[in-house]
Amino acid sequence: MKTPYFLINEAEINKNVNEFKAALKKYWSNSVLAYSVKTNSLPWILEYMNKSAVFAEVVSDEEYQLAIKCGFSDDRIVFNGPIKGEEYFLRAIEKRAVVNIDSEKELECLSKNEKVKLSEIGIRLNVDIGVFPEGDVDYREDGFRFGFSHEACGLKRALDRIRQINENCRIGLHLHCNSITRSLDVYRSISKYTAMIVETYGLTPSYIDVGGGFFGGVAGKPTAEEYISVIAQELSRVVDPKETRLIIEPGSAMIGSAVDLHSSVLDVKSNNRSRIITTDASRILIDPLWKKSRYFYSVNGDPDGAVEEKQIVCGYTCMDFDRIMVLKDQRALSVGDKIVYHKVGAYTMTFGGPFIRYYPAVYVKSGTEIKKVRQRMSVDSYYSIHKTEEENEH
Ligand SMILES: Cc1ncc(COP(=O)(O)O)c(C=O)c1O
């Protein structure tokens, strides 16, 4: 198989999915496991999740349509975020998707559309940043950008507005926290905060959706069972698990650990300070936020080869910044050596764009069989997506 390519390990996804399913069954059987489509929207993965009886969590009209195309029915979609288009927002409500509102615009849309039969709607909570332990989350000065704020009275206004439309409308609560640590304390904090909201407003939520942001498949980090146990412990103080469904929306924890990127060394040369290793991987493929400096990786080749003090492993783009990692006191890499980056399935593969080179192929390993599920993007495909429909017809 020609590098670079991604390789998905089906057994690992299965393990991650089953760990969350088992944890939910144990601590909150009235629950829904939804996969966060944004984390990796490769159609094969969505079809896999659909077959595994997992819901799809989407945050745009495009993701909604993709989920439908991959086999999800509307009532197995969770529709989140502040950028929903009116047509898909109303369709989702009508067809009984789980819909969590996250903008004033959606409230206005509900008020002005008299035909909407609103029997259930979720509200994204803007959790006060002060509830988190120091170091667990960013944005301490400015707060989170998503959701309706209890402290700034947005939540009360949203609840009043929904009750004006239908005073019997069932209310769901939605949360999600992109934390730095993904620690159990983060989930203890958001669950306690939700409990406070439930008590303050005297709510009996039809569901509580705690979002994603968990670890999965990483040794030494919290497990699905530990996360769900903490959440269940806090929430069951204020709601009855038989009456209130628990929804979770993991992305990284399901797909992150199941994907490797296989790459090759294309060239080796030295400047007067270090050895430069040019490869056919790129940070674009495995670190689209350009933040990472460490990877789980393995290298093939002679384990007894000479050791080099400093090697800078670089990507295929022409940006000097495309430096994937620095290897210190490691065996010298040579042209043709293979470097495999492990656990790189989250916010990669469908995230990095076709810049300089186009999307690499994706394979899936199921047992001993390996099959291709995405072809390498050709120059013709690249060309056609940058042309108009009319131009493509000719
Ligand atoms: C609302 C929501 N749910 C779920 C997720 C998935 O997060 P993760 O991939 O960290 O599990 C995100 C990610 O940003 C999100 O915004």
Side-chain angles (χ1 to χ4, degrees), residues 122-150:
I123 305 178
R124 169 86 179 247
L125 297 182
N126 179 286
V127 181
D128 173 26
I129 216 108
V131 308
F132 295 98
E134 195 69 42
D136 266 344
V137 293
D138 272 328
Y139 317 114
R140 288 210 93 86
E141 215 168 296
D142 299 330
F144 288 130
R145 57 175 276 212
F146 296 104
F148 291 87
S149 163
H150 159 63

Side-chain angles (χ1 to χ4, degrees), residues 182-196:
R182 297 178 182 258
S183 72
L184 293 173
D185 277 343
V186 168
Y187 294 88
R188 196 168 286 114
S189 303
I190 59 175
S191 303
K192 281 192 168 146
Y193 186 84
T194 311
M196 178 278 285

